[in-house]
Amino acid sequence: MHVRGEVSEWLKEPVSKTGEPLRVPWVRIPPSPSFSLAPFPQSDSAREPPFATEQQQCNVSAHAPDWVRRVTSQTVHPLLSAFPVVIGIPVQWGEMDAYGHVNNTVFFRYFESARMEYLDRCGFLETYDSEDIGAILRSTECLFRRPLRHPDTVLVGARSVHIGEDRFTMAYLAVSEYHNEIVAEGSAVVVSFDYAERKKTALPRQVRDKIGALEQLTAGNPSNS
């Protein structure tokens, strides 16, 4: 490497035979209407959501991290009206990959954040603390519907669609706040697990009752099936 005031050849910007700069294809971010240099995250007071409904109350619990947006009954997206638990997560620049959109693996973290909020709301975190009976993830999957980019906020809904003796099945829906469109759908099977005995166990009665109460928040919505 040369250090006498000259730029080493491997540090120079690559040029074509005509002298034009060459773009490296694997780091070029494709143009997108959602891509800008505007400061982010913006405060909630700086912009008004383009949607509103008053069908349910969806405040996140005190255990949620500070960067999870408090989604209230005034800011629930219509596409998420069938979901009793909804959180808003700012899309981070570092979550995008070389193709210029949020990497597929990141959606599972979004779902995980919504799932943990749901487990807290239905009392599963409480039973783990008091009885060593908590949730364990058996399986999860995701259907990717459209690219998600920074800056944006992804709204993630979580609900239960089936309850068994020792497990329940969850459904997720992720919506781009910027585009007002679904970006991903997901599901998961959550099993009740006795961490002291190291084996699955029946779903605690209080958890089952709270799940029922949560789902009753949206039971009257025609999109809730």
Side-chain angles (χ1 to χ4, degrees):
M1 179 176 179
H2 301 286
V3 293
R4 298 179 180 176
E6 298 180 358
V7 178
S8 178
E9 288 298 323
W10 65 273
L11 289 177
K12 291 181 180 179
E13 183 179 20
V15 296
S16 65
K17 293 182 179 179
T18 61
E20 296 294 327
L22 292 176
R23 291 185 177 271
V24 182
W26 54 84
V27 297
R28 186 175 68 244
I29 297 177
S32 166
S34 65
F35 182 83
S36 72
L37 296 179
F40 190 80
Q42 302 176 16
S43 65
D44 288 341
S45 60
R47 58 178 179 175
E48 293 295 330
F51 44 79
T53 182
E54 298 180 357
Q55 294 182 5
Q56 74 248 43
Q57 184 71 22
C58 294
N59 289 321
V60 298
S61 70
H63 295 93
D66 292 338
W67 46 263
V68 173
R69 180 168 139 201
R70 273 64 181 168
V71 179
T72 67
S73 58
Q74 284 72 42
T75 57
V76 175
H77 196 287
L79 291 171
L80 295 166
S81 60
F83 291 80
V85 171
V86 179
I87 61 173
I89 305 175
V91 175
Q92 303 299 315
W93 172 267
E95 293 173 339
M96 294 192 295
D97 58 23
Y99 295 103
H101 60 72
V102 171
N103 188 269
N104 294 348
T105 61
V106 177
F107 284 88
F108 291 97
R109 295 207 299 269
Y110 295 157
F111 292 163
E112 179 185 54
S113 295
R115 181 171 65 252
M116 293 306 298
E117 176 63 23
Y118 192 95
L119 295 179
D120 190 22
R121 293 277 297 277
C122 73
F124 234 150
L125 300 187
E126 182 181 347
T127 59
Y128 176 76
D129 290 337
S130 61
E131 306 172 29
D132 286 331
I133 295 178
I136 193 167
L137 187 64
R138 181 182 185 273
S139 62
T140 187
E141 62 181 12
C142 181
L143 174 64
F144 306 101
R145 297 282 295 272
R146 66 162 294 152
L148 182 66
R149 299 183 175 93
H150 169 90
D152 203 341
T153 294
V154 58
L155 304 174
V156 187
R159 58 181 290 211
S160 292
V161 294
H162 179 265
I163 303 178
E165 178 63 27
D166 59 4
R167 67 195 62 198
F168 59 94
T169 302
M170 298 188 68
Y172 309 113
L173 195 66
V175 175
S176 162
E177 187 178 56
Y178 184 94
H179 291 285
N180 269 346
E181 293 186 7
I182 296 171
V183 293
E185 300 175 68
S187 64
V189 176
V190 178
V191 176
S192 178
F193 194 77
D194 188 326
Y195 283 86
E197 299 293 331
R198 310 300 297 174
K199 63 181 181 180
K200 65 181 181 180
T201 187
L203 203 61
R205 171 54 58 184
Q206 61 267 42
V207 172
R208 184 183 297 273
D209 291 344
K210 287 185 177 181
I211 289 176
L214 273 176
E215 298 304 328
Q216 282 298 315
L217 290 174
T218 56
N221 193 302
S223 63
N224 189 11
S225 57

